[in-house]
Amino acid sequence: MHGSVPILMVLSLLPFSKQKPPRHGCLAVQWRKHQEGRRLQKWNKMLRNFTKYRSSKKFHRRIEKGIPAQVRGKVWAMMLSVDTRKAQNPGKFEEMKERARLCSDQVQQINEEVACTFRSHVMV
């Protein structure tokens, strides 16, 4: 359709690019992918400098817009200081995980359903 011209270059030349992104069709899909990539880059930058951004307005605005699935687990872990808590309580996490496995008959079913539903998720 557009030959060898990158789709984002085509988008930047279209009249709607300065107003609203396309809502339907191939261009809309390409635009959303581009936007998601930009959001992910911003989140990765923020995570590299987490102590700087942790209490900033920018961090809170980005949370309100939504945390991309690719970094959601890492963001939650950093917000909850999981590494620090694990270091302060060595072995506690594994102990709690094992207790949960032993106490619940439904854990295996849940794990199977999660793995089936989110096959490519980093946390599975």
Side-chain angles (χ1 to χ4, degrees):
M1 177 171 160
H2 299 291
S4 62
V5 178
I7 194 73
L8 295 176
M9 184 180 290
V10 173
L11 283 173
S12 67
L13 298 174
L14 294 173
F16 60 74
S17 65
K18 295 212 165 108
Q19 298 162 4
K20 293 181 181 178
R23 292 178 181 239
H24 307 289
C26 181
L27 292 179
V29 171
Q30 291 292 327
W31 179 256
R32 280 193 296 274
K33 284 182 181 180
H34 173 70
Q35 289 297 97
E36 287 171 18
R38 288 183 62 214
R39 283 184 60 226
L40 189 56
Q41 286 176 341
K42 290 175 182 180
W43 271 100
N44 282 324
K45 178 184 176 188
M46 193 171 277
L47 291 176
R48 283 191 299 272
N49 301 306
F50 187 70
T51 53
K52 173 184 173 184
Y53 289 106
R54 181 180 193 133
S55 58
S56 70
K57 289 180 182 180
K58 182 182 282 191
F59 183 69
H60 292 278
R61 275 195 315 268
R62 287 198 180 145
I63 288 174
E64 288 173 4
K65 287 182 178 181
I67 304 169
Q70 299 93 322
V71 293
R72 191 171 297 139
K74 189 172 185 176
V75 171
W76 275 103
M78 292 179 88
M79 287 172 47
L80 297 171
S81 305
V82 169
D83 290 338
T84 304
R85 292 176 193 273
K86 278 184 173 181
Q88 291 170 344
N89 303 290
K92 189 69 172 176
F93 179 71
E94 287 74 21
E95 176 190 331
M96 291 169 60
K97 223 167 46 171
E98 188 59 32
R99 267 194 198 169
R101 262 192 211 106
L102 294 173
C103 295
S104 176
D105 296 333
Q106 295 82 22
V107 170
Q108 182 64 31
Q109 182 67 33
I110 291 169
N111 287 339
E112 288 173 9
E113 289 180 21
V114 167
C116 186
T117 305
F118 301 106
R119 293 173 195 218
S120 62
H121 195 277
V122 294
M123 299 298 282
V124 177

